[in-house]
Amino acid sequence: AVGLCPYRALLARRGGALRALCGSVRGLAAGAETHFGFQTVTEAERREKIYRVFESVAKKYDVMNDSMTLGIHRVWKDILVHKMNPTPGTLLLDVAGGTGDIAFRFINYVRSVRERQLQRKLRHHQNLSWQEIAESYEEDKSKSLGDSQVVVCDINKEMLKVGKQKAQHLGYSKGLSWVLGNAEELPFDDDKFDVYTIAFGIRNVTRIDLALQEAYRVLKPGGRFLCLEFSQVSNSLLSRLYDLYSFQVIPVLGEVIAGDWKSYQYLVESIRRFPPQEEFKAMIEDAGFFKVDYQNLNLGIVAIHSGFKL
């Protein structure tokens, strides 16, 4: 409870939110019940079980993402970063991003923006000599991210380990750092980041309300919250087919590819337990965000939620 005291000033402006938080703290002290997939467990048990899930699947996580979604998760993540539209100088916090997918896309996007800026700059200086152009290009190229930074924060050591190995293999080093941390109690100062992202991670957070409050706290005024997550399918026929695929195929893939049926059974169940779009939107608003909206992708199989700290 002591660790939650700094939030009192933040939440005082939102009346009932503070009372809800106090009740939540009492629930924590009492070992409140929650869910792990379709099982009923205590919050402490859920945290431990989820940690073990991702510890188990970390090495095959990317391969399974491709197998489960037929590679479409790559498109969803591209759309998320394009929606973010970061510019050189943007400071991004990517939570639950252990394998680096959002971070690498962010770096590529900023590099591309920076490259276009450089080309426009050189076109407007037609009177420069070849040597001056080359020197200017090399100088700007060395600052390809324009002071942009991305911090990947994940609670699971194995997921971070995989992400670091990928970064080294793919040649990502500048503007990238890795931090072990809990989404419900982030190890960062207030008002620090321009953008907060969490992709396919928030449904695995035990206390989603605390994670949202932390997202609000660490964002600068004007900062943006973006969440990519599986959601509720709007088409009834697709919903039935999706359920059949999820429960009959994905656990089998988990067993064949990762040797882990139970973890992928949980991941499927966790999607069904996650709040639908409108309910999650209300939770984001309750955390203090404004201009909250969402964009359904593939008829609601996933949704991108967005909000601003004003």
Side-chain angles (χ1 to χ4, degrees), residues 28-93:
L28 279 173
E33 286 188 342
T34 183
H35 58 82
F36 175 77
F38 294 158
Q39 301 176 41
T40 299
V41 296
T42 67
E43 291 183 351
E45 288 172 335
R46 186 180 195 273
R47 289 185 178 94
E48 178 64 25
K49 285 177 177 291
I50 290 175
Y51 189 91
R52 289 177 182 172
V53 164
F54 286 95
E55 188 176 50
S56 172
V57 305
K59 291 180 180 179
K60 296 291 185 178
Y61 185 78
D62 289 331
V63 175
M64 276 299 298
N65 278 347
D66 282 333
S67 301
M68 289 188 301
T69 69
L70 306 178
I72 299 173
H73 76 99
R74 297 172 180 266
V75 177
W76 295 334
K77 291 168 182 173
D78 288 341
I79 293 172
L80 176 71
V81 174
H82 278 80
K83 192 176 183 73
M84 184 196 314
N85 191 25
T87 56
T90 298
L91 182 57
L92 167 67
L93 173 63

Side-chain angles (χ1 to χ4, degrees), residues 78-243:
D78 288 341
I79 293 172
L80 176 71
V81 174
H82 278 80
K83 192 176 183 73
M84 184 196 314
N85 191 25
T87 56
T90 298
L91 182 57
L92 167 67
L93 173 63
D94 183 39
V95 176
T99 58
D101 276 3
I102 301 301
F104 303 153
R105 282 169 169 77
F106 169 82
I107 290 172
N108 290 342
Y109 193 98
V110 173
R111 282 177 177 170
S112 177
V113 171
R114 184 73 171 166
E115 180 70 19
R116 292 196 297 271
Q117 289 178 344
L118 174 58
Q119 290 174 356
R120 286 197 297 269
K121 174 183 174 182
L122 293 179
R123 280 199 297 269
H124 286 109
H125 292 81
Q126 297 294 329
N127 58 336
L128 292 178
S129 68
W130 172 84
Q131 184 176 0
E132 289 172 325
I133 291 174
E135 288 174 353
S136 176
Y137 183 82
E138 286 301 318
E139 180 182 354
D140 286 343
K141 189 177 180 182
S142 66
K143 301 177 181 177
S144 60
L145 292 178
D147 298 323
S148 290
Q149 295 278 334
V150 53
V151 178
V152 179
C153 180
D154 201 294
I155 197 171
N156 195 287
K157 293 179 182 178
E158 288 302 313
M159 294 289 282
L160 286 173
K161 181 179 178 182
V162 170
K164 290 176 183 178
Q165 290 171 344
K166 280 176 61 180
Q168 185 176 15
H169 176 72
L170 296 172
Y172 294 100
S173 57
K174 292 182 179 179
L176 174 63
S177 57
W178 307 84
V179 175
L180 185 68
N182 185 347
E184 299 172 38
E185 193 174 356
L186 293 170
F188 307 108
D189 294 336
D190 297 357
D191 306 328
K192 182 175 178 63
F193 296 95
D194 299 302
V195 183
Y196 171 114
T197 54
I198 183 165
F200 303 118
I202 202 159
R203 77 179 190 281
N204 298 306
V205 172
T206 298
R207 291 287 306 280
I208 294 175
D209 56 337
L210 294 186
L212 292 172
Q213 290 163 21
E214 280 290 83
Y216 187 94
R217 180 182 67 81
V218 301
L219 280 169
K220 298 175 182 177
R224 189 175 193 182
F225 168 86
L226 284 167
C227 173
L228 173 64
E229 188 53 86
F230 289 106
S231 201
Q232 185 168 298
V233 178
S234 57
N235 179 280
S236 58
L237 175 60
L238 178 60
S239 179
R240 289 195 292 273
L241 293 173
Y242 181 46
D243 280 347

